[in-house]
Amino acid sequence: MYWLNQHLLSLVIFVPAIGAGLILMLPAQRSGAIKRVALVASLVTFALSYFLFSGFRANAAFQFIEKVAWIPGYGISYHVGIDGISLLLVMLTTFIAPVTILSAFDSIKKRVKGFMIAMLLLETGMLGVFAALDLFLFYIFWEAMLIPMYLIIGIWGGERRLYAAIKFVLFTMFGSLLMLVAILAIYREGYLALGQYTTDYLKLLTVDLGARAQIWMFLAFALSFAIKVPLFPFHTWLPDAHVEAPTPGSVILAGVLLKLGGYGFLRFCIPMFPGATTLFTPLVVALAVIGIIYGALVAMVQTDMKKLVAYSSVSHLGFVMLGMFALSLQSVSGSVLQMVNHGLSTGALFLLVGFIYQRTHTREIAAYGGLASVMPGFAVVFIVVTLSSIGLPGLNGFVGEFLIIVGSFQTQPAGAIIAVLGVVLSAVYLLWLVHRVFFGEPGKVVSSGTGSDPEQLLDLTSREWSIVLPVLALIILLGVYPKPFLNRIEPAVDNLVHTYQETLLPESAEQLKAERLIADQELEWVKDH
Amino acid sequence: MTAPIYLITLLPLIGFLINGLLGRFLTERQSGMVASGTVLGSFLISAQLTMGLMTRPGKNPHFVQTLFTWIEAGDLQIQAGYWFDALAAVMALVVTGVGLLIHIYSIGYMRGDPGVRRYFAFMNLFIFMMLNLVLADNLALLFLGWEGVGLCSYLLIGFWFQDESKARAGMKAFIVNRVGDAGFIIAMVLLYHQFGTLNIQQLANAAPFALAGRAFFTAVTLLLFLGATGKSAQIPLHIWLPDAMAGPTPVSALIHAATMVTAGVYLIARNSVLFTLAPATMNTIATIGILTAFLAASMAITQKDIKKVLAYSTISQLGYMFTAVGVGAFSAGIFHLMTHAFFKGLLFLGAGSVIHGLGGEQNIDNMGGLKKHMPSTHLTMLVGVLAITGVPGLSGFFSKDEILWGAFVRYEGFSWIWLVGVITAGMTAFYMFRLLFRTFYGQPRWSNQLHPHESPSVMTLPLILLAFLSILGGYVGVPEVLGGMNHFHHLLEPVVAISPWGLAGGHEASHFMELLAMFISTVAALGGIYYAYKVYILQPRMADELRDKLPGLYKLSFNKYYVDEFYGAAVVRPLVAFSQVLWTWFDDRVIDGLVNGSAALIGSGSRLIRQLQSGLIQHYAAFILGGVIVIMAIIYAS
């Protein structure tokens, strides 16, 4: 037990990889066994990660730390640990992974073995990114993740899969190469400041980087992360990648992969380069807000369901970026929560689009209509997920959006108010989608079922229900009682925000504190009366 | 010993879950019973709590209950908490009481519809959300109810979703409401920023001492009012309500007449302290309210669909309520909200009964002479029409008059707002009697294949009960000048702000003026009735002659002043076209053009550099190293 506790985080990270190793030993024909092993591995990972969640103490420190020298000569170590921010994203990953693998049971027909291996390795890579506290380790995981995702799009994707896969790789590689350069530069700066070579995140965090260096490094990191998020205007790889990726690929892409960008900003850009962050905040906020509106407008006129959902991601992640760079406690907390929310809702939307695509082999919105009469269960699930995405109070999306808007107003009032327009637009494009797909007269594929009879449009199967029900449960739980999650995020975010304010403007931080004190007293007075 | 408040909301939620998840195990009848039963339970608990309130000591008697912390981040603490005071009690009783009658009616009206379980599930969900709206102790939870009722409205307008136009009407309602909701959200943000809380009582306590200036309160209240114009279908966001008539008629009665659409009025009354700090907003509300009342009445006059007439009438009556709160007569606004819930709920259910009896016919041109076929429906609708018209002695008379008197006092005499209010009262009488006469009197104009019949008692019983309420409901608020006590006003006195313009029962102005104003508006109403009688009964051809004489005016009214067309041309189509350009030009050409262009550049570049590819690992390693050194050199050189 003791050993287990000491290595819990590493276990969570590597159990999927172990599962991949087991699958490697199975013959490719035994696809049933392969699927089972993959599912079990991901479920075990999720179960283990639950202990991370329950054992997590709500403070700002990194927990479940493991540190082993790896390449001592270069000061590189295997150093992992999580704070509240990474905890939530780790949980999101371990939750989405089994959902994705289960959805692949039906949708992946060829080379099952390879697919499951890629999926599990991808999971290990993503978990590693969220847990790494060593820049070199982080980079290894970051790059390692790219390969399985490239393969998933390139091998199991749609017709233009190669184009999409290459676009995905080029965009991402472009960013990560610059990041590598910046990591090396920090490595050198660390040596100059600390007198030793190290890639340890916590040590490098203490290094005071000069203003010019910060700017360059920020840009190098930020570009990489901005592409991943994706922040407008670096988003054009996303619709292609989503459209061509197989359903499980889209789910994992929207569900987890996009969060790596946001996580990178939070973990590296803001705390390591606070000066540059201040300088670039207006730019990032502007791009985020443009993204909210732009993504929503372009989503509105899409004719392909997957593309619509992909562009809606651009809009939603604009909210995440706005909250992050507004850098208030509420906005950043909301931003972290919204990453989870987006992972759940948009992941679920891709799942559902996948379900229906499997039945009709088309994602053309115009081919649908009246689906709610034929598949009522599917319609209910789809509408609930849509409402979550729209930000209906009582479901998860609202909590994140609300915190982001309230929090952003304190520092970025204009951005916050424009962002509210995005709330209006999200209702427009999503309800219009629901309208065209589910309501009215039966459409082309609904009445004829593309060369088959309408009876083929069966409602959700029990396996499909078992995939969506856990997601729905979380969507409601996070909407009604987000407190356990918010409480775990808060100390880390509070630390981030305060450190940022203090390193930056010591005197105005004092002033801020004084103002808060007065405000608190006023509030007390109000409550007393 | 009073019941906990949360039971009021919990019961309909349970009803929703039973019908929503286990509906297929229930018979149609059981489904309706479950739904009605839970609402009955809520009503009884609300009644018990209201009784408890009466015996509660203190200036502003109330019950509070905090269930759990909903959203928490730093200073921002939002509780799932309820606050039950006199205003909440009135609202909860109206919502559950009228809601119960409409649920029972629905058992008859929806009989045989394959989606009946879904129907009752949505109706229960609506009651749950509406109760959250009226019981919430903070604006965020109120907003949950606010959006929740909007959702149910969307789902129930498009209940028969196989009909594309009906589903579209639901979507339109939701989206138009969202525009208003954006205002609501920004208002919450501003309030939190200023006061550090969204608790309604704390806001009301802190607001008068706030350092923020008048501009702040004007902005916040205008934004809240924007939200209210969406939900309560006021100009310029009124366009969704007539389309909302696509839903089943009991839905129109419950959601689009008696309860949800009045939420905007409730919102303002609930936050009356904030609103009284912003006189500019108050004047705006009164102006928008009275204009909406007038314009909607002018549209109702020419509509042919029985439900559309009632829809415009609802918009118009809501306009009165906004006028009331706009002139600071908050309790008068809520009073009219309550009486309107009775008589408009009645009128819609009556219309539903007519539609039911005529096999789905909604055009009043194809009705007429139904009096002897549907006696109960006729009689109860007559009561409803008299009540809305403001005939002395019925509920609408008392509440409408209090509003007009409030306007009179606020603007110190015969102001234009008062005058328009009186004219609208006359128009209301005209179009309501037009409806009544065209439906129940004169020669039958329906096809002789139809056999109009009276509705079953499960439908007529709620009609009769609502008719009694429409008559008696006004007597809780008889003004002092008529020898009454105006209990209603005194009940709400501690809850709503005392308007700085002093409408405390009309003591300031003379009783003579109050009676005179009352007399004038009664004359206007009676005039409207007489004119309708003349046009539709005495000289039936006069209506057509009038239409031919005033073709422009008629068209303008019939086509609702072309507001929908205007929005289509000025907002919807340009936005879609603009978005198309963004996608096909900016995304595909500009951004991807840059990307692909640089890819091509690299491609041709690499053909040149291909010579460097020696195939020796050492060379490559050296290139990489060299590259890194160069870039780092650049960083440090700068």
Side-chain angles (χ1 to χ4, degrees):
Chain A
M1 260 335 265
Y2 176 78
W3 184 87
L4 201 73
N5 258 330
Q6 288 307 300
H7 300 282
L8 187 57
L9 186 55
S10 290
L11 272 175
V12 168
I13 298 173
F14 288 106
V15 164
I18 294 168
L22 289 177
I23 292 174
L24 200 61
M25 289 184 272
L26 288 167
Q29 310 87 286
R30 296 190 54 197
S31 66
I34 289 169
K35 286 173 179 172
R36 274 195 296 280
V37 171
L39 183 63
V40 168
S42 65
L43 284 174
V44 168
T45 313
F46 177 65
L48 287 171
S49 73
Y50 176 76
F51 293 108
L52 292 178
F53 187 77
S54 61
F56 188 85
R57 290 178 308 278
N59 61 43
F62 281 93
Q63 297 168 35
F64 303 101
I65 288 183
E66 286 169 62
K67 191 171 179 182
V68 186
W70 182 16
I71 313 175
Y74 295 95
I76 295 169
S77 56
Y78 172 79
H79 186 187
V80 291
I82 49 173
D83 65 356
I85 297 169
S86 14
L87 172 75
L88 252 80
L89 293 167
V90 164
M91 295 300 297
L92 175 70
T93 311
T94 59
F95 177 80
I96 294 282
V99 167
T100 310
I101 285 170
L102 203 56
S103 81
F105 280 27
D106 288 329
S107 59
I108 300 298
K109 302 268 192 261
K110 60 169 188 180
R111 302 193 197 190
V112 174
K113 180 174 172 178
F115 182 85
M116 291 301 174
I117 291 175
M119 212 62 188
L120 289 169
L121 289 179
L122 182 61
E123 187 183 2
T124 287
M126 295 185 300
L127 290 168
V129 168
F130 290 134
L133 291 179
D134 181 286
L135 259 62
F136 185 75
L137 187 66
F138 170 81
Y139 190 75
I140 298 279
F141 278 127
W142 179 273
E143 290 294 297
M145 219 174 49
L146 191 62
I147 300 158
M149 194 63 221
Y150 167 71
L151 294 177
I152 287 172
I153 299 174
I155 295 177
W156 292 275
E159 273 167 31
R160 293 173 69 228
R161 58 181 179 267
L162 281 180
Y163 170 75
I166 289 171
K167 202 169 174 182
F168 168 75
V169 166
L170 282 182
F171 262 92
T172 324
M173 280 296 269
F174 182 62
S176 43
L177 281 177
L178 286 174
M179 185 163 77
L180 178 63
V181 174
I183 288 177
L184 289 173
I186 295 172
Y187 187 55
R188 200 184 109 87
E189 284 282 351
Y191 175 71
L192 294 178
L194 305 167
Q196 67 180 108
Y197 281 114
T198 181
T199 51
D200 193 281
Y201 169 74
L202 296 175
K203 282 185 192 153
L204 290 174
L205 207 51
T206 60
V207 174
D208 207 358
L209 297 166
R212 282 198 93 94
Q214 277 199 26
I215 291 173
W216 284 107
M217 291 173 190
F218 180 94
L219 281 177
F221 270 90
L223 189 64
S224 179
F225 298 143
I227 289 168
K228 205 75 165 188
V229 168
L231 187 65
F232 174 89
F234 309 106
H235 62 274
T236 56
W237 65 272
L238 185 71
D240 286 315
H242 268 312
V243 167
E244 297 308 322
T247 300
S250 284
V251 175
I252 205 87
L253 186 60
V256 187
L257 228 67
L258 301 185
K259 276 81 221 170
L260 293 159
Y263 176 77
F265 275 110
L266 274 177
R267 179 64 73 230
F268 299 103
C269 280
I270 295 171
M272 292 177 93
F273 322 119
T277 301
T278 313
L279 186 67
F280 287 111
T281 291
L283 177 68
V284 177
V285 166
L287 292 178
V289 171
I290 293 174
I292 292 173
I293 305 297
Y294 182 90
L297 289 177
V298 176
M300 190 169 71
V301 292
Q302 294 306 308
T303 53
D304 178 301
M305 285 192 221
K306 262 192 162 180
K307 270 203 166 173
L308 192 152
V309 181
Y311 277 106
S312 86
S313 288
V314 176
S315 180
H316 281 111
L317 291 161
F319 271 99
V320 170
M321 292 307 292
L322 168 67
M324 205 176 284
F325 275 80
L327 275 162
S328 77
L329 174 62
Q330 283 88 16
S331 75
V332 180
S333 299
S335 170
V336 174
L337 194 67
Q338 195 64 355
M339 286 201 256
V340 176
N341 291 337
H342 176 264
L344 292 172
S345 323
T346 308
L349 280 177
F350 279 120
L351 267 179
L352 294 169
V353 172
F355 289 169
I356 191 68
Y357 179 75
Q358 218 161 0
R359 288 166 169 77
T360 62
H361 303 286
T362 178
R363 292 185 307 260
E364 197 62 33
I365 299 169
Y368 288 87
L371 198 60
S373 322
V374 192
M375 299 176 69
F378 179 74
V380 169
V381 175
F382 196 98
I383 290 172
V384 172
V385 174
T386 303
L387 293 170
S388 137
S389 196
I390 288 176
L392 193 86
L395 301 176
N396 58 347
F398 173 74
V399 182
E401 255 176 32
F402 185 70
L403 284 173
I404 289 171
I405 293 169
V406 167
S408 301
F409 185 80
Q410 295 166 27
T411 52
Q412 303 288 343
I417 286 174
I418 301 171
V420 175
L421 283 183
V423 175
V424 178
L425 290 174
S426 72
V428 176
Y429 63 78
L430 282 170
L431 287 185
W432 196 27
L433 170 71
V434 167
H435 180 80
R436 287 177 290 171
V437 172
F438 290 97
F439 302 148
E441 295 286 315
K444 205 165 68 198
V445 290
V446 177
S447 50
S448 71
T450 0
S452 56
D453 50 324
E455 279 81 62
Q456 288 231 303
L457 277 177
L458 291 175
D459 211 341
L460 294 181
T461 64
S462 48
R463 177 179 292 153
E464 287 167 338
W465 275 113
S466 71
I467 297 172
V468 295
L469 279 180
V471 184
L472 285 190
L474 260 188
I475 283 177
I476 294 169
L477 175 70
L478 276 164
V480 176
Y481 196 61
K483 205 177 148 197
F485 304 90
L486 284 171
N487 284 353
R488 283 171 172 78
I489 302 172
E490 191 176 320
V493 171
D494 195 48
N495 185 35
L496 175 89
V497 172
H498 275 105
T499 319
Y500 169 76
Q501 284 167 348
E502 276 154 25
T503 45
L504 214 68
L505 331 135
E507 59 297 347
S508 65
E510 283 302 312
Q511 195 188 337
L512 217 70
K513 226 180 250 170
E515 271 175 20
R516 269 167 69 135
L517 206 67
I518 296 170
D520 282 349
Q521 282 164 351
E522 272 178 5
L523 191 64
E524 284 307 309
W525 186 88
V526 166
K527 278 175 183 159
D528 290 343
H529 288 73
Chain B
M1 185 59 199
T2 47
I5 307 175
Y6 71 81
L7 276 182
I8 303 179
T9 53
L10 183 65
L11 286 172
L13 180 66
I14 291 172
F16 161 67
L17 292 174
I18 292 176
N19 264 317
L21 299 177
L22 311 170
R24 72 187 117 145
F25 302 115
L26 301 177
T27 65
E28 206 177 279
R29 197 169 179 81
Q30 284 167 333
S31 164
M33 298 294 273
V34 166
S36 310
T38 55
V39 180
L40 173 67
S42 288
F43 175 73
L44 293 176
I45 297 163
S46 308
Q48 200 233 357
L49 275 164
T50 309
M51 305 283 209
L53 213 56
M54 303 291 182
T55 58
R56 207 113 161 128
K59 228 170 40 194
N60 179 10
H62 61 266
F63 297 103
V64 278
Q65 187 168 49
T66 303
L67 300 175
F68 56 88
T69 301
W70 177 26
I71 300 174
E72 182 181 34
D75 309 333
L76 178 71
Q77 301 267 346
I78 292 169
Q79 313 290 341
Y82 294 138
W83 174 273
F84 194 93
D85 61 3
L87 179 57
V90 170
M91 294 302 293
L93 287 173
V94 168
V95 169
T96 53
V98 176
L100 171 64
L101 295 177
I102 293 172
H103 272 71
I104 294 170
Y105 176 96
S106 298
I107 296 175
Y109 191 85
M110 297 302 287
R111 177 168 294 159
D113 191 292
V116 69
R117 290 156 196 87
R118 180 165 53 97
Y119 173 85
F120 279 115
F122 290 165
M123 289 290 268
N124 266 184
L125 183 65
F126 170 78
I127 298 280
F128 168 74
M129 290 296 183
M130 190 69 204
L131 287 169
N132 271 299
L133 197 163
V134 300
L135 296 175
D137 75 351
N138 65 76
L139 286 175
L141 187 64
L142 196 158
F143 187 68
L144 177 135
W146 185 270
E147 291 278 285
V149 292
L151 166 69
C152 297
S153 164
Y154 161 74
L155 293 170
L156 283 163
I157 294 169
F159 180 73
W160 290 305
F161 58 80
Q162 292 86 347
D163 183 338
E164 200 266 348
S165 67
K166 291 186 163 142
R168 182 174 290 272
M171 181 171 70
K172 180 174 172 185
F174 198 100
I175 289 169
V176 172
N177 265 290
R178 267 261 149 162
V179 176
D181 296 346
F184 197 137
I185 293 173
I186 299 173
M188 283 197 285
V189 168
L190 291 174
L191 284 169
Y192 174 73
H193 189 67
Q194 181 69 32
F195 296 106
T197 179
L198 289 175
N199 182 295
I200 293 166
Q201 304 304 323
Q202 286 174 8
L203 288 173
N205 291 339
F209 309 102
L211 301 172
R214 186 157 275 193
F216 170 80
F217 287 105
T218 306
V220 166
T221 49
L222 277 178
L223 287 163
L224 284 175
F225 178 56
L226 178 63
T229 54
K231 191 108 298 179
S232 300
Q234 296 296 289
I235 291 170
L237 298 181
H238 63 285
I239 48 165
W240 65 272
L241 187 59
D243 294 29
M245 297 300 119
T249 306
V251 169
S252 313
L254 178 62
I255 301 183
H256 304 118
T259 55
M260 181 189 83
V261 289
T262 63
V265 182
Y266 169 77
L267 178 73
I268 294 171
R270 179 47 89 198
N271 294 289
S272 54
V273 173
L274 302 181
F275 279 85
T276 44
L277 290 170
T281 306
M282 295 289 274
N283 284 326
T284 310
I285 295 173
T287 308
I288 296 269
I290 204 68
L291 285 179
T292 306
F294 174 77
L295 289 172
S298 76
M299 294 183 240
I301 286 177
T302 54
Q303 299 305 312
K304 292 169 188 264
D305 181 323
I306 187 169
K307 288 181 72 180
K308 287 263 164 85
V309 177
L310 291 175
Y312 284 107
S313 158
T314 304
I315 298 175
S316 173
Q317 295 296 312
L318 288 164
Y320 273 117
M321 296 176 214
F322 277 99
T323 308
V325 292
V327 299
F330 297 107
S331 65
I334 298 295
F335 188 25
H336 196 58
L337 183 161
M338 181 183 82
T339 59
H340 177 258
F342 299 151
F343 58 68
K344 190 55 69 60
L346 166 63
L347 286 168
F348 263 113
L349 294 187
S353 178
V354 170
I355 295 165
H356 192 74
L358 275 180
E361 181 60 61
Q362 296 192 190
N363 190 337
I364 52 174
D365 281 354
N366 303 330
M367 294 181 182
L370 289 170
K371 189 175 146 192
K372 64 170 183 281
H373 299 279
M374 310 178 84
S376 312
T377 305
H378 164 250
L379 202 64
T380 50
M381 272 192 92
L382 176 64
V383 171
V385 168
L386 288 171
I388 192 177
T389 303
V391 169
L394 281 81
S395 60
F397 166 76
F398 296 110
S399 55
K400 193 185 283 179
D401 229 81
E402 202 174 325
I403 292 172
L404 291 175
W405 180 237
F408 189 93
V409 173
R410 166 68 180 91
Y411 295 109
E412 290 157 5
F414 298 100
S415 63
W416 72 271
I417 288 192
W418 177 84
L419 186 66
V420 174
V422 171
I423 293 171
T424 305
M427 288 160 71
T428 307
F430 177 79
Y431 70 72
M432 284 314 300
F433 272 88
R434 166 179 177 262
L435 177 84
L436 190 79
F437 292 148
R438 296 287 283 168
T439 308
F440 291 103
Y441 296 79
Q443 292 302 313
R445 294 180 300 276
W446 24 277
S447 92
N448 43 15
Q449 273 129 35
L450 288 173
H451 302 286
H453 54 85
E454 184 57 277
S455 300
S457 56
V458 71
M459 286 166 69
T460 49
L461 193 72
L463 286 177
I464 293 164
L465 286 171
L466 281 171
F468 273 108
L469 286 170
S470 302
I471 297 169
L472 302 173
Y475 287 92
V476 296
V478 180
E480 274 97 354
V481 67
L482 293 181
M485 301 286 289
N486 210 343
H487 290 294
F488 195 85
H489 181 83
H490 295 302
L491 181 73
L492 291 184
E493 215 165 27
V495 181
V496 294
I498 305 299
S499 122
W501 309 295
L503 178 77
H507 290 297
E508 289 80 358
S510 75
H511 279 178
F512 169 73
M513 291 307 281
E514 189 171 355
L515 287 172
L516 179 66
M518 204 178 272
F519 177 74
I520 294 174
S521 63
T522 307
V523 167
L526 294 176
I529 297 174
Y530 171 73
Y531 199 59
Y533 181 69
K534 191 172 158 195
V535 171
Y536 294 101
I537 302 285
L538 292 181
Q539 297 160 309
R541 233 171 298 135
M542 201 172 149
D544 295 338
E545 285 164 14
L546 270 176
R547 189 183 58 205
D548 295 340
K549 230 187 277 173
L550 304 164
L553 215 55
Y554 176 82
K555 266 195 174 153
L556 208 57
S557 159
F558 187 73
N559 293 306
K560 310 157 254 179
Y561 299 93
Y562 299 96
V563 177
D564 272 315
E565 287 76 5
F566 170 75
Y567 283 140
V571 182
V572 180
R573 279 192 292 277
L575 198 67
V576 171
F578 176 63
S579 307
Q580 283 285 0
V581 171
L582 283 185
W583 177 35
T584 52
W585 178 73
F586 194 76
D587 235 52
D588 273 10
R589 291 277 170 76
V590 178
I591 302 178
D592 270 7
L594 280 174
V595 173
N596 293 338
S598 53
L601 196 71
I602 291 166
S604 49
S606 21
R607 271 188 287 282
L608 284 176
I609 307 172
R610 192 176 290 162
Q611 283 87 339
L612 290 177
Q613 296 193 355
S614 56
L616 293 171
I617 303 285
Q618 302 93 301
H619 288 182
Y620 296 155
F623 289 150
I624 293 170
L625 195 67
V628 167
I629 290 169
V630 168
I631 294 168
M632 284 176 68
I634 293 170
I635 291 175
Y636 287 100
S638 57

